[in-house]
Amino acid sequence: MSDSQGNTTEASTALVGSKMRQAVPPRRQGGARRVSMREVAQQASVSVATVSMVLNDNPRISKATQIKVRRIIDKLGYRPNRLAQSLSSQYTRVLAVLLPPLRHAFSDPYFGELLSGICDRADRLGHKVMLESAKPDFLRERKLLELFERRFVDGMFCLGVNDRHPFVKDFAAAGFPMVCVNNYFPDLNLDYVVADYRSGAEQVMNVLLQLGHKKIALINGAPEAQTARDVFEVFTARMNDAGLETDAGWTADGRFIEEGGAAATDEIIDRHPDVTAIFAGNDKMALGAMHRLVELGRSVPGDVSVVGFDDIQQMAFVNPSLTTVHLPLYEVGARACELLVQRVRGKTDKISERLATHLVLRDSTSIVSGRS
Amino acid sequence: MSDSQGNTTEASTALVGSKMRQAVPPRRQGGARRVSMREVAQQASVSVATVSMVLNDNPRISKATQIKVRRIIDKLGYRPNRLAQSLSSQYTRVLAVLLPPLRHAFSDPYFGELLSGICDRADRLGHKVMLESAKPDFLRERKLLELFERRFVDGMFCLGVNDRHPFVKDFAAAGFPMVCVNNYFPDLNLDYVVADYRSGAEQVMNVLLQLGHKKIALINGAPEAQTARDVFEVFTARMNDAGLETDAGWTADGRFIEEGGAAATDEIIDRHPDVTAIFAGNDKMALGAMHRLVELGRSVPGDVSVVGFDDIQQMAFVNPSLTTVHLPLYEVGARACELLVQRVRGKTDKISERLATHLVLRDSTSIVSGRS
DNA sequence: ACGGTCTGGTAAACTGTTTAAGCAGTTAAC
DNA sequence: GTTAACTGCTTAAACAGTTTACCAGACCGT
């Protein structure tokens, strides 16, 4: 029951608190005595309201008072207490980032880029960023909602969510400011910012077809993500347009990881030994595919062209360097942040943005070999 | 001047705030009306103090009152406002993580592991984690101190700091709870938790010497990190103990990155073509070294043994798999978190812990080849 | 001299908690 | 027989800001 305080630790917080206060009568924490607005007001011979208005650049304050108060502020080294500010203003200026509970979510370049974009932009917009891991119990116990209800944050980013996360739906209903980053739910009325997977996939298909490929396989990632389905749909549509085969044998699931890419390659080669091009739903799977192809004695791109998706850092340096679709992940994060801040500030129009992607042509693709 | 509000954005916050309030008279944010302690108290016919004590499991509250109040709390769906709690209790229960301003700090497995450890443990201890990037201006403008002065956080973790970061010194003087994670400053009185680099290096030297190597080179990382110097010192000491050469030609700087490892390998091979073992200060450099050695026509471990440091995920899967020192980075982060929380709660003894490391023997090392 | 409108400021109410101090009755210790 | 320490609860003062309503004086026209 005590967890309505979010307090699952040993001693009663209340006791700990009082003990510390007694020990240090004139409330100090880090050596520096804390100065409050009242003291500034006293020294400047004005009211606290005036000090507050000075800090907020309220036009009703005269130049003279401005300067007088600012001088005292500097002299005393006063800093407004943001807890009090937030309590009063109802804005915390903190945003939460919900990350999937993968053990290595932080070391993943995909999330890393999104996170960098979010953090940089948040900083520039005067907001702080808080990390949350979407652990099962975290979702069950509606701790997510608590984040808002208890006024921890003004808004939230959801990274790495997909159809298997029912909480998103509940959450959407609660109506707190939230934006899905780089995924979306066509039938939920949720704000989102995504990279344009469809256009990226179109470009991949264009280049492969133009290079003369006709035996093209798709290694796709988790089908529970709408973006992955988008890629699949484009693949199928373009293949059909070109009058090419696309039965189930031509696609395989690589679970978005390197080993999955290798395994999927095995499947494909098994079913279609004459494949000349593999389109992987992300770079890691593409890498796995390349490695496996080489192991199987096929040269890349000589025998088989490989195209990735994401354009993560390392892929420019592997051998052969990987042709891939660049996703502006940093920008997706940054833009999501911008829009979320606007929404927090009261903007009500739905957020749904698609950022352009582009093909990066490198060495893992070539014109289809004579032999096919 | 308005930046004493930390507010560098367009419109005056004050105005934005008031506008929103007018628009939405009975203060609502996400659909759910917000319930305060007063309302709970009223409905339960007790004072707010009683409600507060119920929430804090104060033993002076009778069972009956407990139940009565809790029922109302559940009925109204009341959640304590943590801004008010923090304002009153002086504890925010938020910790900041200071990361180096590397563009890809988040995608780095090194920081990723530390961060995971910190976040998981913080969550379990009922604390939130806030991200901060140590950008130059962030440090210059003492925004770091503001984090504490303005009561954003109770404590801070410093990741990736080294001797070239003078702010650490100033910061230490201010006396706010802070702990250096996986680095330390012998002559500064700073709290720290590190992996035991010395013992790790000892183990590496032991195994290399036992395998009969006598021509051992060290590719070290940034010498501005004490941990890197520790490795260097152990290397030198053990080589001297064994009566082996360790002049400057036997060490090279690889700047902790893969390309640096490759370049350092060139230098070493150039000066000592008869080298039989390379000890790299981290796995990335070791990987760079392995690649370069193969490019130069030397087999690993046939001609040259390579040992890394860190034990990052991928290195178990490269070929040959890398012998390396496992750093318990996740645990370092978690332990640092535990100790920081204790310190925030008033514990005053200096924090300085060294977590055990161990060698992971894999395929990149072998007994020295007959030829040398 | 008198009402009207600015101007620059203040006092007080408000945000939602925690906690010290107190209250009146009971019980135990000295 | 007085002091002291419980009991379960309340009152009121913090905590540190924002914001609204009001006010005194200057200025202006009539």
Side-chain angles (χ1 to χ4, degrees):
Chain A
M1 289 291 148
S2 77
D3 62 10
S4 45
Q5 279 278 308
N7 176 11
T8 54
T9 41
E10 62 288 68
S12 146
T13 327
L15 291 179
V16 176
S18 71
K19 211 184 297 167
M20 296 201 55
R21 273 194 167 179
Q22 284 173 349
V24 189
R27 203 179 312 294
R28 39 169 62 227
Q29 200 89 318
R33 219 184 67 61
R34 223 161 290 282
V35 183
S36 86
M37 212 167 194
R38 268 154 191 80
E39 286 167 69
V40 174
Q42 257 166 22
Q43 296 235 3
S45 328
V46 295
S47 70
V48 290
T50 303
V51 178
S52 174
M53 292 170 131
V54 166
L55 283 173
N56 291 301
D57 287 323
N58 190 309
R60 288 185 49 185
I61 298 298
S62 71
K63 205 76 204 153
T65 315
Q66 267 276 353
I67 293 171
K68 180 173 64 177
V69 172
R70 284 236 131 87
R71 217 194 308 277
I72 303 292
I73 286 177
D74 288 349
K75 183 179 137 204
L76 298 182
Y78 164 75
R79 307 277 155 192
N81 179 322
R82 88 145 237 303
L83 290 170
Q85 288 184 318
S86 294
L87 179 61
S88 180
S89 71
Q90 305 285 357
Y91 288 95
T92 67
R93 289 180 166 260
V94 177
L95 305 172
V97 174
L98 188 70
L99 285 167
L102 308 170
R103 173 70 197 276
H104 301 287
F106 295 122
S107 11
D108 189 318
Y110 172 80
F111 292 114
E113 278 297 284
L114 292 174
L115 210 46
S116 291
I118 291 172
C119 287
D120 284 359
R121 191 54 50 93
D123 190 49
R124 226 182 306 164
L125 294 172
H127 285 247
K128 300 291 180 192
V129 173
M130 194 168 260
L131 249 32
E132 286 296 338
S133 174
K135 305 211 181 81
D137 60 317
F138 184 79
L139 303 176
R140 246 198 318 276
E141 296 174 25
R142 50 178 276 130
K143 292 221 179 160
L144 250 190
L145 285 179
E146 249 184 35
L147 233 43
F148 287 89
E149 292 172 342
R150 301 193 51 198
R151 317 245 34 137
F152 273 99
V153 302
D154 291 339
M156 188 171 73
F157 303 94
C158 285
L159 311 201
V161 291
N162 59 45
D163 302 0
R164 281 199 318 236
H165 294 129
F167 77 89
V168 181
K169 199 163 179 178
D170 305 350
F171 195 83
F176 292 108
M178 184 202 90
V179 32
C180 283
V181 182
N182 212 31
N183 193 21
Y184 66 111
F185 301 83
D187 32 86
L188 252 51
N189 186 29
L190 273 180
D191 293 337
Y192 64 86
V193 176
V194 290
D196 194 338
Y197 278 73
R198 298 194 94 93
S199 135
E202 298 272 5
Q203 295 175 65
V204 169
M205 294 311 292
N206 278 350
V207 74
L208 289 178
L209 293 169
Q210 277 175 27
L211 288 171
H213 292 278
K214 298 196 184 331
K215 312 284 191 181
I216 307 176
L218 175 72
I219 300 180
N220 211 5
E224 57 270 18
Q226 180 60 37
T227 48
R229 288 196 295 267
D230 284 350
V231 169
F232 176 75
E233 281 171 23
V234 169
F235 169 75
T236 314
R238 302 292 274 113
M239 289 295 275
N240 289 341
D241 288 355
L244 300 171
E245 271 187 66
T246 63
D247 62 74
W250 287 101
T251 69
D253 186 349
R255 289 168 298 129
F256 278 139
I257 58 177
E258 200 170 327
E259 298 86 57
T265 302
D266 283 337
E267 283 181 52
I268 288 164
I269 290 283
D270 200 45
R271 294 189 294 240
H272 298 287
D274 55 344
V275 62
T276 67
I278 291 181
F279 173 13
N282 78 356
D283 286 352
K284 284 191 221 159
M285 296 191 293
L287 191 65
M290 286 209 294
H291 284 344
R292 180 52 49 89
L293 285 169
V294 170
E295 282 170 24
L296 294 173
R298 315 222 173 186
S299 82
V300 177
D303 299 322
V304 183
S305 289
V306 175
V307 184
F309 215 101
D310 281 4
D311 192 25
I312 63 179
Q313 218 62 19
Q314 300 85 348
M315 295 305 140
F317 306 110
V318 299
N319 198 319
S321 60
L322 184 70
T323 292
T324 189
V325 173
H326 178 78
L327 299 190
L329 294 178
Y330 180 92
E331 288 74 21
V332 167
R335 187 71 183 132
C337 186
E338 230 161 65
L339 292 171
L340 182 57
V341 168
Q342 287 179 12
R343 148 96 3 135
V344 165
R345 290 187 184 164
K347 205 154 170 248
T348 51
D349 1 343
K350 171 164 181 183
I351 299 169
S352 62
E353 251 181 53
R354 225 165 269 271
L355 271 60
T357 55
H358 66 267
L359 190 74
V360 182
L361 206 55
R362 289 199 282 247
D363 303 332
S364 66
T365 39
S366 74
I367 184 163
V368 70
S369 69
R371 144 176 119 188
S372 75
Chain B
M1 287 293 150
S2 77
D3 61 9
S4 44
Q5 279 278 309
N7 175 11
T8 54
T9 41
E10 62 288 72
S12 147
T13 326
L15 289 179
V16 176
S18 71
K19 210 184 298 167
M20 297 204 54
R21 274 193 168 183
Q22 284 173 352
V24 191
R27 202 179 310 297
R28 41 170 59 227
Q29 202 92 317
R33 220 185 63 60
R34 223 161 291 281
V35 183
S36 87
M37 213 166 190
R38 269 169 193 61
E39 286 168 70
V40 174
Q42 256 165 22
Q43 296 234 5
S45 325
V46 295
S47 70
V48 290
T50 305
V51 178
S52 173
M53 291 169 131
V54 167
L55 283 173
N56 292 303
D57 286 322
N58 190 309
R60 291 184 53 186
I61 297 296
S62 73
K63 204 74 203 154
T65 316
Q66 267 276 353
I67 293 171
K68 179 173 66 175
V69 172
R70 283 238 130 87
R71 218 195 306 277
I72 303 291
I73 286 177
D74 288 349
K75 183 178 138 204
L76 299 183
Y78 164 75
R79 308 277 155 190
N81 179 322
R82 85 144 237 305
L83 289 170
Q85 287 184 317
S86 294
L87 179 61
S88 182
S89 72
Q90 305 286 354
Y91 288 95
T92 67
R93 288 181 166 258
V94 177
L95 305 172
V97 174
L98 189 70
L99 285 167
L102 308 170
R103 172 69 197 274
H104 301 285
F106 295 121
S107 11
D108 189 319
Y110 172 80
F111 292 114
E113 278 299 284
L114 292 174
L115 210 46
S116 290
I118 291 172
C119 286
D120 284 359
R121 190 55 50 96
D123 190 48
R124 223 180 310 165
L125 295 172
H127 285 247
K128 299 290 179 191
V129 173
M130 193 169 261
L131 249 33
E132 286 297 337
S133 174
K135 305 211 181 81
D137 60 318
F138 184 79
L139 303 176
R140 245 198 319 278
E141 296 173 25
R142 50 178 276 132
K143 292 220 178 163
L144 249 190
L145 284 179
E146 251 186 32
L147 233 44
F148 287 88
E149 292 171 341
R150 299 194 53 199
R151 316 246 36 134
F152 273 98
V153 302
D154 291 339
M156 189 171 74
F157 303 96
C158 284
L159 311 200
V161 291
N162 59 44
D163 302 359
R164 281 199 317 236
H165 294 128
F167 77 89
V168 181
K169 200 165 178 175
D170 306 350
F171 195 83
F176 292 108
M178 185 203 90
V179 32
C180 284
V181 182
N182 212 30
N183 193 21
Y184 66 111
F185 301 83
D187 33 87
L188 251 49
N189 186 30
L190 272 181
D191 293 336
Y192 64 86
V193 176
V194 289
D196 193 338
Y197 279 73
R198 298 194 94 94
S199 134
E202 299 271 6
Q203 295 174 65
V204 169
M205 294 311 291
N206 278 349
V207 74
L208 288 179
L209 292 169
Q210 277 174 27
L211 288 171
H213 292 279
K214 296 194 181 342
K215 310 285 190 181
I216 307 175
L218 174 73
I219 300 181
N220 212 5
E224 56 269 19
Q226 180 60 38
T227 47
R229 288 196 296 267
D230 285 349
V231 169
F232 175 76
E233 280 171 22
V234 169
F235 169 77
T236 314
R238 303 292 272 109
M239 288 296 274
N240 288 342
D241 289 353
L244 300 171
E245 269 187 66
T246 65
D247 63 73
W250 287 100
T251 71
D253 186 350
R255 289 167 300 129
F256 278 138
I257 58 176
E258 201 172 325
E259 298 86 61
T265 303
D266 284 337
E267 282 181 53
I268 288 164
I269 292 283
D270 198 46
R271 292 190 294 240
H272 298 287
D274 55 344
V275 62
T276 68
I278 291 183
F279 175 13
N282 78 355
D283 286 351
K284 284 191 222 161
M285 296 192 293
L287 191 66
M290 286 208 295
H291 284 343
R292 180 54 48 90
L293 285 168
V294 171
E295 282 170 24
L296 294 173
R298 314 222 172 186
S299 82
V300 178
D303 299 323
V304 182
S305 289
V306 176
V307 183
F309 216 101
D310 281 4
D311 192 26
I312 63 179
Q313 217 62 18
Q314 300 84 351
M315 295 307 141
F317 306 109
V318 298
N319 198 319
S321 60
L322 184 71
T323 292
T324 187
V325 173
H326 177 77
L327 299 190
L329 294 178
Y330 180 91
E331 288 73 22
V332 168
R335 186 73 184 131
C337 185
E338 228 160 67
L339 293 171
L340 182 57
V341 167
Q342 287 180 12
R343 148 103 353 141
V344 165
R345 290 188 184 164
K347 203 152 172 252
T348 51
D349 1 343
K350 172 163 180 182
I351 298 170
S352 61
E353 253 182 50
R354 224 166 270 272
L355 271 59
T357 54
H358 65 267
L359 190 72
V360 181
L361 206 54
R362 288 198 283 247
D363 303 331
S364 66
T365 40
S366 73
I367 91 175
V368 69
S369 68
R371 148 175 121 191
S372 77

